[in-house]
Amino acid sequence: NKHLKTVIFGLSGKSSKISYNQQQKMILEQQGIKADTETIRSLILHVFRQYKLVVSPHAKLLLVMDADRNSIYEGKNLLEGKSNEFTVLTAESAKELSIPFMSLNNAFLKDYNKNNISFEFKIDSHWNKRGHFIAGKAISGFLSKQKWFKKRQ
């Protein structure tokens, strides 16, 4: 369902000046979907269930959620507001379906507080070199900690 994917995965190619919360609100209003917690939770579960139906039973899936970069830049508390609510809903839904989950909030926040360098291109919200590096480092650390890699002999 095209609308479902848009609701869950957000706006692509929009200016990074539009906050994550504004993007989600725009998507939901555009699609005429009531933006209550239970509706969003149902949509998330539906997408994850559909995904699990089509992947190999031997495949491992890690769900990684992008950081709320605008809130990081603005110095807002990442544990408050709709963005955190969406992250919590996603994490709970992933857990319910036994899908490992990680948020990039802490990795991006820690790096931004230390270096004060943004993670996306100036013309859109796609990750730049730094964003990819920090995300890759965080994901690699998660996979190592969870022992997803086999030691070479």
Side-chain angles (χ1 to χ4, degrees):
N1 181 324
K2 178 183 160 203
H3 298 297
L4 180 65
K5 289 176 189 169
T6 303
V7 170
I8 298 301
F9 297 108
L11 299 170
S12 60
K14 292 291 181 184
S15 168
S16 61
K17 296 196 184 317
I18 298 174
S19 77
Y20 179 82
N21 290 344
Q22 289 170 319
Q23 289 178 14
Q24 296 306 314
K25 187 176 181 208
M26 285 170 53
I27 291 165
L28 293 167
E29 287 173 356
Q30 179 184 10
Q31 304 302 333
I33 296 172
K34 186 178 175 189
D36 62 79
T37 303
E38 202 47 47
T39 300
I40 294 172
R41 185 181 185 309
S42 296
L43 290 170
I44 293 168
L45 283 169
H46 176 75
V47 169
F48 294 168
R49 282 189 188 111
Q50 294 304 311
Y51 184 82
K52 286 187 82 168
L53 289 174
V54 298
V55 296
S56 163
H58 304 291
K60 286 188 175 183
L61 169 66
L62 170 61
L63 179 63
V64 179
M65 188 150 202
D66 195 359
D68 183 355
R69 291 173 271 148
N70 287 318
S71 290
I72 289 171
Y73 302 149
E74 294 167 7
K76 292 182 180 176
N77 184 344
L78 296 175
L79 299 178
E80 296 176 354
K82 288 284 183 188
S83 176
N84 183 60
E85 202 175 304
F86 188 65
T87 301
V88 170
L89 283 171
T90 305
E92 289 172 352
S93 300
K95 184 177 181 177
E96 186 175 319
L97 296 171
S98 302
I99 300 172
F101 172 86
M102 72 173 289
S103 166
L104 293 174
N105 274 339
N106 289 338
F108 277 55
L109 178 63
K110 183 178 175 184
D111 185 80
Y112 188 76
N113 285 341
K114 181 180 178 185
N115 299 302
N116 201 34
I117 299 172
S118 64
F119 304 102
E120 65 279 317
F121 294 104
K122 291 180 181 182
I123 60 168
D124 65 24
S125 61
H126 291 95
W127 291 340
N128 60 18
K129 184 177 177 180
R130 180 144 206 94
H132 279 94
F133 175 75
I134 298 303
K137 187 174 167 186
I139 293 166
S140 176
F142 180 92
L143 296 175
S144 293
K145 199 180 225 183
Q146 300 299 317
K147 302 186 188 302
W148 279 30
F149 301 119
K150 291 182 180 180
K151 290 186 180 181
R152 294 184 187 194
Q153 295 190 16

